[in-house]
Amino acid sequence: MANIGIMGGTFDPIHFGHLRAAEEVLQGFQLDRVIFVPAGNPPHKAGERISSAEHRYLMTVLATMDHPNFEVSRVEIDRPGFSYTLDTLREFRKRFPGDNLYFITGADAILSVHYWNGYRELFELADFIAVTRPGYSMESLDCLRPLIGEQCYSRIHVFTVTSLAISSSDIRDRVRKSLSIRYLTPETVRRYIERNGLYKD
Ligand code: NAP
């Protein structure tokens, strides 16, 4: 039986905060691999300007290709319509019937999990790992307990990682202002952003 991490995010762009989080979760939860799943068409970002799914997918591939335990899935990119985590986890459950699944994402995103499609089933399909920065505690997610119930709540694991001070929105802001983003994201991703003129208005 394998332990499989499924790292969900918009990844616009992916950065060292995400990569370091995946690395620490891989070790901390003794996972066999982490599959990055760039959100195809995130329902909660309808109306927001985000880079094309293909750009975000390619940047995620560039960032993870040198890690033997990291992979990237096109499951949400290739599925038409809005990208619901429920459909993604159902798909991974089908692919890996006997394995343990851990859905990994930012704690801030998990705070709204009670609004996600079919959230009760989500917690039957996988455990959730809410990655967060130092200083953020499980109590910060306490407000979820009455909303989703004890059984679902017990499947959320808060995991503190080293370097979440980097954010995608800050990187986009810096590019817009022609400021350097070196050492915030892998060099391959930095060059991809530059060549494709991403985040310039
Ligand atoms: P978000 O609102 O963009 O992000 C919330 C916070 O979490 C941000 O600070 C973000 O930092 C951080 N974050 C996001 N992904 C992370 C990751 N993998 N590791 C560490 N930090 C992360 O959240 P999002 O990226 O759109 O959504 C996260 C996941 O939840 C996605 O897989 C999405 O599909 C899923 N989701 C599903 C539903 C649904 O099914 N209805 C609704 C909402 C979200 P950065 O900005 O630096 O990434």
Side-chain angles (χ1 to χ4, degrees):
M1 199 195 316
N3 293 324
I4 300 173
I6 298 162
M7 179 86 161
T10 307
F11 302 131
D12 192 22
I14 190 163
H15 53 66
F16 282 129
H18 300 128
L19 294 165
R20 186 64 210 168
E23 179 73 351
E24 292 187 21
V25 171
L26 180 80
Q27 292 205 321
F29 286 78
Q30 296 175 327
L31 304 184
D32 297 282
R33 53 183 156 149
V34 174
I35 305 172
F36 287 72
V37 182
N41 185 7
H44 59 299
K45 298 212 168 159
E48 272 180 47
R49 247 183 81 184
I50 60 171
S51 306
S52 75
E54 214 58 52
H55 277 320
R56 293 181 291 104
Y57 167 75
L58 287 172
M59 288 190 283
T60 308
V61 170
L62 287 172
T64 54
M65 61 197 298
D66 60 353
H67 196 301
N69 306 96
F70 287 177
E71 296 161 36
V72 187
S73 167
R74 292 187 61 92
V75 67
E76 290 195 1
I77 307 276
D78 292 339
R79 196 169 60 221
F82 283 130
S83 306
Y84 294 111
T85 301
L86 182 62
D87 298 325
T88 303
L89 289 182
R90 280 177 177 163
E91 175 62 33
F92 280 109
R93 182 41 76 212
K94 239 188 272 166
R95 283 189 205 175
F96 308 110
D99 296 329
N100 296 319
L101 300 183
Y102 293 87
F103 186 77
I104 310 161
T105 197
D108 295 353
I110 289 187
L111 265 179
S112 63
V113 73
H114 52 295
Y115 292 123
W116 299 11
N117 255 25
Y119 75 85
R120 282 192 189 284
E121 188 182 335
L122 286 176
F123 291 100
E124 286 163 20
L125 294 164
D127 277 63
F128 275 61
I129 301 177
V131 298
T132 184
R133 57 196 81 80
Y136 197 101
S137 65
M138 189 67 194
E139 285 82 67
S140 316
L141 282 177
D142 250 4
C143 55
L144 269 183
R145 193 193 293 266
L147 296 171
I148 64 175
E150 196 55 49
Q151 209 175 344
C152 297
Y153 190 74
S154 67
R155 297 203 70 180
I156 302 178
H157 313 274
V158 173
F159 192 71
T160 305
V161 297
T162 310
S163 53
L164 267 183
I166 305 173
S167 79
S168 298
S169 59
D170 175 62
I171 291 179
R172 295 194 300 271
D173 237 39
R174 284 174 195 268
V175 174
R176 208 167 291 125
K177 293 175 181 156
S178 300
L179 295 172
S180 161
I181 57 163
R182 268 182 212 274
Y183 315 123
L184 296 174
T185 187
E187 188 56 12
T188 46
V189 174
R190 188 192 70 77
R191 286 206 202 125
Y192 185 96
I193 292 170
E194 195 173 84
R195 272 197 206 146
N196 290 281
L198 301 187
Y199 313 127
K200 292 277 186 197
D201 282 329

